Amino acid sequence: MKSFFKKIVIEILTWEARLVLARYQPKVVAVTGSVGKTSTKDALFAVIESEFRSRRSEKSFNGEIGVPLTILGLPNGWNNPFVWLSNIFNGFILCFFPKILQTKAIGFPEWLVLEIGADHPGDIENITKWLHPDAVVVTRMSEVPVHVEFFKSPEEVIKEKTFLVQALRDSGTLFLNADDKDVMSMRDAKRNTLLFTFGIEEPADFQSSNLEVTYEKLNGDNAPSGITFKVNYNGNSVPINVLGRFGRQHIYPALAALAFGQSLGLNTVSMADSLANYLPSPGRMRIIPGVKNTTIIDDSYNSSPVAVREALRTLGEIKTIGRKIAVLGDMLELGKYSVEEHKKAGKEVIGVAEILVTVGLRARDIAMGGLNNGMNERNIFQFDDSLGAGKYIEMMLEEGDIVLVKGSQGARMEKIVEEIMAEPDRASELLARQDPEWKNR
């Protein structure tokens, strides 16, 4: 019965979303990829929100129900049927009686920034039967993408993402990550459209250089505070200073956002200021002060092999007077690749962190990967759940330590961050999955 009700709700909300798109005709920029979708969506929104009436996908509303909700500007009803009925009613009003909601006075968004994901085959293909974006941004793929468990192969995941590129309007603009050969192969899916590339390593229209970690004085010591880098394009160069977050993971979204803004004729300096000041969604390589004058790199929102590799790379680049501690949870939905990829992650910890903490049954293979490649067994700690891990890590911490916390949603790694953060009363503001529906799980 619950499944039937969900199907009916999706059908009605999708129908309403299609009517709203036809009635108000907003421009749509859609973001897809296996890594960095939400951060890129947030960066795009940051550069256009002051110039256009805009709306973005909330959190990770990127599927068959999240996309219509974003278009309609409605909340997630979770398990409350009355909220879903209210959503259907308000969607109907928006379609046919907008004056009741004062939509005419306020103005429907001129731009919708939509995140489009795929958990199963057909997810994006079905959405693109009715959604035709004016711009598409493809972030990054992965040799072993998240959700690959539900696809025949990584190539099938790439094929699913390509449906969004094919759905791009003929007059639209395509933005591709030049550092990813699988992403660049998607340009063949939509010929004769305007194309911009962005990247760090390979030649691109918008390319970054001079990446450095920035530091600030904290209790007499230098504590990491963010990153700085330059964006080079069309013979110009603009510096970007980003506070409160780390890593190349935040360079790619900035590059994509600058490329997108340039295509709209926006001022580069203003965009750089917007990118310096916006905060990405919680759990995406954000810096959070920890107990005992420690630093937490909170990357607890989700995980995949390529994302773990990048997070560890960032941890390795940071200077600290204390220890580096990698806290890694299960990477879910990897199917037949799970054991091998978890062991690879453990190997990649070697030379980066002095201490490895794993959380979850699958993450035991991370510990095995570290142990098999020479990590001292006394520096490896294994836990079945995040609560037990958090309490132990809090006792273990020493002043100056830097702690990377990362894992898939099911590992609930945000509970560890809450346990070791200096201001746990700010958890609802700073951490991922703080809705009552998540907190009660």
Side-chain angles (χ1 to χ4, degrees), residues 53-120:
R53 293 191 306 276
S54 309
R55 179 186 297 151
R56 61 179 161 176
S57 301
E58 290 295 325
K59 300 175 183 177
S60 290
F61 274 18
N62 61 21
E64 60 182 357
I65 197 162
V67 173
L69 286 177
T70 301
I71 293 170
L72 297 169
L74 298 172
N76 189 344
W78 295 98
N79 293 317
N80 190 329
F82 296 105
V83 175
W84 289 116
L85 291 173
S86 175
N87 280 343
I88 290 172
F89 176 77
N90 287 329
F92 181 83
I93 295 299
L94 181 62
C95 291
F96 299 105
F97 305 99
K99 288 184 179 180
I100 295 178
L101 299 178
Q102 297 184 323
T103 301
K104 287 291 186 181
I106 300 171
F108 193 82
E110 299 168 278
W111 274 98
L112 295 173
V113 186
L114 304 180
E115 179 181 337
I116 312 292
D119 293 343
H120 298 84

Side-chain angles (χ1 to χ4, degrees), residues 185-396:
S185 71
M186 295 182 186
R187 61 185 168 186
D188 297 327
K190 192 69 176 182
R191 293 288 189 177
N192 303 318
T193 192
L194 187 60
L195 170 66
F196 290 99
T197 58
F198 57 93
I200 300 172
E201 299 164 354
E202 298 296 326
D205 298 316
F206 289 77
Q207 191 163 27
S208 80
S209 63
N210 302 89
L211 169 63
E212 294 181 4
V213 177
T214 57
Y215 299 85
E216 63 181 12
K217 285 290 183 182
L218 184 64
N219 298 318
D221 297 313
N222 285 328
S225 58
I227 56 174
T228 181
F229 57 94
K230 291 182 179 179
V231 177
N232 309 298
Y233 67 98
N234 199 26
N236 300 308
S237 181
V238 57
I240 305 290
N241 299 295
V242 175
L243 292 175
R245 50 202 190 274
F246 286 138
R248 290 153 52 107
Q249 300 92 317
H250 289 294
I251 296 180
Y252 287 118
L255 291 171
L258 284 170
F260 176 62
Q262 277 286 309
S263 74
L264 300 179
L266 302 185
N267 180 273
T268 304
V269 175
S270 296
M271 288 192 290
D273 290 340
S274 297
L275 291 170
N277 295 321
Y278 91 101
L279 276 177
S281 297
R284 276 89 169 180
M285 295 298 287
R286 284 175 64 166
I287 303 170
I288 295 179
V291 296
K292 304 177 186 177
N293 294 324
T294 59
T295 299
I296 305 167
I297 304 175
D298 177 17
D299 203 24
S300 61
Y301 179 75
N302 210 346
S303 191
S304 68
V306 67
V308 168
R309 187 159 54 248
E310 288 295 344
L312 289 171
R313 176 175 180 167
T314 299
L315 180 63
E317 293 171 347
I318 298 171
K319 300 173 185 177
T320 178
I321 61 169
R323 302 167 300 175
K324 296 180 181 179
I325 303 172
V327 185
L328 304 178
D330 288 343
M331 293 184 288
L332 303 179
E333 300 178 355
L334 297 182
K336 63 182 180 181
Y337 303 97
S338 182
V339 173
E340 180 185 358
E341 291 303 321
H342 281 86
K343 287 183 177 179
K344 283 183 181 178
K347 181 179 179 180
E348 288 162 356
V349 173
I350 307 299
V352 171
E354 291 88 349
I355 296 173
L356 169 63
V357 180
T358 68
V359 181
L361 298 180
R362 295 171 182 82
R364 291 178 181 177
D365 287 316
I366 299 178
M368 185 62 68
L371 187 62
N372 289 345
N373 287 278
M375 194 168 191
N376 193 318
E377 186 175 5
R378 290 179 298 179
N379 294 332
I380 301 175
F381 304 88
Q382 302 180 60
F383 296 87
D384 290 339
D385 61 78
S386 56
L387 288 176
K391 294 183 183 302
Y392 188 85
I393 294 168
E394 182 180 15
M395 293 187 296
M396 171 202 302

Side-chain angles (χ1 to χ4, degrees), residues 41-50 56 270-271 274-275 278:
K41 174 257 297 181
D42 290 340
L44 294 174
F45 182 77
V47 300
I48 67 170
E49 64 172 327
S50 62
R56 61 179 161 176
S270 296
M271 288 192 290
S274 297
L275 291 170
Y278 91 101

